[in-house]
Amino acid sequence: MGSRRHHHHLQPARRVAHQLKHWLIPHAANDHRPHLIRAHGLALMAVLIIGAQGAMLITRPAAVRTASQGHVLAYASNITVEDLFTQTNQERAANGLSPLHLSAQLNYSAELKAQDMFAENYWAHVSPSGIQPWYWFQKAGYNYSYAGENLAKDFDTTSGVMTGWMNSPGHRANILNPHYIDVGFAVENGTLVGGQTTLVVAHYGAPAGLTVTAVVPPPAGPASTPAATPAPSPGTQPSPSATPAPPAVAAPSPAAGQTATSTPPAKSYSLFAPLSLTRTLNWSTLLTLALLLLLLAVYAVTHATVWRKGLLRWRRFHYRLYAVATLVVLVIMIVLIAVSGFGQVG
């Protein structure tokens, strides 16, 4: 009786294994054509990938959806000011440093810098016309004794940006600088040098003397969003809604009491200088990558089996051409997706 019960419990597992064999492994019973690479299998893969990407777009944070209006990005960037602020202070806490305050003025100066990079079509600490980063600090009314700027572009996630910065000595030094009191961020979507991207600007600072900057309280939790950056007082600062025209000459040198500044060198990340895929790609991209890797494996095993067994279809030139083409296309797609989250820091 016990033997029959044990046999009964094994049946569902055997049925699943039998179906998986038909779907994934080439053998005589499926004519060495796994169901996954037949029309209905490929249609299922397409539905899963499109569904994952659609779900990612729907579940993007409200701040990201608002910032992305009017821009169709090549990937669904999930970078937010809130997450940048939270993860920055997490890195500082892990290194025994006090947390930074989210400064409304530095948020504004970072926004001005990001908007200028899009307007002037450059990605660097110094603009083509010679504008230094500290010009934007002054434009926002932030008088500093210490100041720093970190840049990033082409990243897919906030974690990817932070990993890139922390893996670069100069950018890490800005995040962990004990002199800084305040920080501000900008996350802007647009077209730069002919390609759509997300620019991230971080401005770090310590106010000159005993001047207290306007600050935004830290986010209350994962579901909260940072308080809106207040507009500068009329008559003293430019409106945040308009990007000021940059002057034709470089910004003046820091005034008395404005000393240490930091702009780390640029660094690119790719498969040759890898970051963690699980940190730099969002879940929908990771799922897409996993599905394409599965498809590549099934195609590779199938073509190898057909070749090894010397089946009739391998003797046909068009089949051999098809086999090579499918593998090459899948490898290219996988590589392009894998590197999509590896951006540049500057």
Side-chain angles (χ1 to χ4, degrees), residues 62-256:
V64 175
R65 290 198 301 271
T66 300
S68 300
Q69 287 180 359
H71 300 286
V72 181
L73 297 179
Y75 53 88
S77 170
N78 267 7
I79 305 168
T80 65
V81 169
E82 178 189 29
D83 289 341
L84 288 165
F85 177 63
T86 299
Q87 293 186 31
T88 294
N89 280 335
Q90 286 173 348
E91 295 291 353
R92 289 178 65 87
N95 287 272
L97 298 171
S98 59
L100 299 176
H101 302 285
L102 190 61
S103 165
Q105 288 172 312
L106 292 186
N107 276 345
Y108 182 42
S109 69
E111 289 171 8
L112 293 178
K113 175 58 180 286
Q115 291 167 4
D116 186 64
M117 284 192 288
F118 278 127
E120 298 297 321
N121 200 32
Y122 72 97
W123 187 74
H125 292 293
V126 181
S127 76
S129 57
I131 306 259
Q132 298 283 338
W134 328 122
Y135 170 79
W136 307 111
F137 284 68
Q138 296 168 9
K139 201 75 174 175
Y142 188 91
N143 297 316
Y144 60 86
S145 56
Y146 291 89
E149 179 181 80
N150 278 358
L151 304 176
K153 69 170 183 173
D154 298 337
F155 281 96
D156 201 15
T157 64
T158 302
S159 295
V161 172
M162 291 302 301
T163 301
W165 281 343
M166 291 301 290
N167 284 358
S168 172
H171 299 85
R172 177 187 177 91
N174 266 343
I175 293 172
L176 302 182
N177 190 322
H179 294 293
Y180 293 146
I181 304 296
D182 303 314
V183 68
F185 300 100
V187 180
E188 297 284 336
N189 298 317
T191 300
L192 191 73
V193 196
Q196 292 176 328
T197 189
T198 298
L199 290 182
V200 180
V201 179
H203 278 175
Y204 310 89
L210 298 178
T211 303
V212 178
T213 61
V215 298
V216 181
S224 63
T225 55
T229 301
S233 302
T236 60
Q237 299 176 23
S239 170
S241 60
T243 303
V249 297
S253 301

